[in-house]
Amino acid sequence: MAEETFEPFGPLQGVKVLNLSQAIAGPFACAMLGDLGADVIGIENPKGRDTSRPNPVLPGWGTRMDRRNSRSLCMDVRHGRGRELFYKLLEDADILVDGFRGGQMDKWGMSDEALWEVNPALVISPMRLRPQPHAAYRRPR
């Protein structure tokens, strides 16, 4: 299948967003950023499928709606080559959206401070069911 290319559009053209979230809030927020012209890359874990993907019970409407204007990659960002490639993508990303429980990325060795070492200007946007204290609410130094 040939890759489709589109002319940049919208007020967020030139903004690169990495999406590590899976369900509803994060993908929907990223879809809206894509609607406004951001370059959104959704990253899925190869060991567990995204809950909005089609299955015997649900036709996958969430994937079609919440992944619009996004490109997709599949990699395990927690370690090895996946982490290496993820950090490479982070180098020129503007925004990172994650949907993990508070502290999960810290457990993987990817604290906000570690991510800011890769890209000091990165905006980290956690999408959580319950609010948690998060370093992203502080301005990076």
Side-chain angles (χ1 to χ4, degrees), residues 2-130:
E3 182 179 327
E4 293 183 60
T5 57
F6 300 95
E7 291 296 316
F9 62 92
L12 295 182
Q13 60 184 295
V15 173
K16 183 175 176 183
V17 180
L18 298 181
N19 178 17
L20 290 178
S21 65
Q22 290 188 21
I24 305 173
F28 183 66
C30 289
M32 289 191 293
L33 293 172
D35 291 345
L36 293 170
D39 177 15
V40 179
I41 301 172
I43 301 173
E44 294 184 56
N45 186 336
K47 295 186 175 159
R49 71 178 198 77
D50 184 330
T51 54
S52 68
R53 290 267 177 219
N55 63 54
V57 178
L58 298 172
W61 61 267
T63 304
R64 289 194 286 271
M65 291 301 295
D66 292 345
R67 299 295 190 265
R68 67 184 185 273
N69 295 323
S70 295
R71 296 183 287 159
S72 294
L73 290 174
C74 187
M75 68 177 84
D76 187 347
V77 300
R78 298 173 299 169
H79 42 69
R81 182 77 172 133
R83 165 89 55 104
E84 201 177 302
L85 294 171
F86 176 62
Y87 276 16
K88 188 76 174 153
L89 288 169
L90 274 180
E91 288 176 6
D92 66 342
D94 299 294
I95 301 170
L96 171 65
V97 176
D98 86 75
F100 303 112
R101 289 184 300 259
Q104 185 62 53
M105 290 190 62
D106 292 346
K107 290 177 187 174
W108 294 337
M110 295 192 296
S111 66
D112 297 329
E113 288 74 16
L115 299 177
W116 285 328
E117 283 181 28
V118 176
N119 180 345
L122 184 67
V123 174
I124 302 170
S125 178
M127 297 287 173
R128 310 254 189 278
L129 178 60
R130 285 169 271 174

